[in-house]
Amino acid sequence: MSPSQEPVYPEYETDSSQTSKLIRKFKETPFVPIGMAGFAAVVGYGLYKLKHRGDMKMSLHLIHMRVAAQGFVVGAITCGVLYSMFRDYVVKPKE
């Protein structure tokens, strides 16, 4: 590619730092970081409760932790899809 050609995606070329790219991506899809944070919180809480699980079997505790983390992520994805559909079709109807 010669330097005289224009970039294929000029909006991606204008962002100079990784932080600005990350902030722009979070503004476009706000439920992705919410899902990631929820997943991390559920796993952290599950690891904390691992110490105080009492007589519950380890495998049962891990299954409950996995289901809770997956449920939070699926819920965040569902909310993100509903939010983007609302934004695209209700707030800004296409002509």
Side-chain angles (χ1 to χ4, degrees), residues 35-95:
M36 291 173 16
F39 175 77
V42 167
V43 169
Y45 180 72
L47 290 175
Y48 171 74
K49 293 298 282 184
L50 184 66
K51 200 184 216 188
H52 308 290
R53 71 179 187 273
D55 61 350
M56 183 186 289
K57 289 185 178 181
M58 171 82 87
S59 62
L60 187 62
H61 176 74
L62 291 176
I63 288 171
H64 287 170
M65 192 171 73
R66 179 187 63 87
V67 168
Q70 278 182 323
F72 197 94
V73 170
V74 168
I77 289 171
T78 303
C79 289
V81 167
L82 291 174
Y83 173 73
S84 67
M85 287 175 63
F86 175 77
R87 188 179 55 195
D88 291 343
Y89 296 112
V90 175
V91 176
K92 298 180 191 174
K94 298 192 180 200
E95 297 174 15

Side-chain angles (χ1 to χ4, degrees), residues 4-54:
S4 64
Q5 291 180 340
E6 292 183 22
V8 177
Y9 299 109
E11 65 271 3
Y12 292 110
E13 298 291 328
T14 59
D15 292 338
S16 59
S17 68
Q18 291 291 333
T19 306
S20 63
K21 289 180 185 178
L22 191 63
I23 290 171
R24 180 181 51 83
K25 215 38 162 160
F26 284 169
K27 286 181 182 177
E28 289 174 3
T29 57
F31 285 95
V32 171
I34 292 171
M36 291 173 16
F39 175 77
V42 167
V43 169
Y45 180 72
L47 290 175
Y48 171 74
K49 293 298 282 184
L50 184 66
K51 200 184 216 188
H52 308 290
R53 71 179 187 273

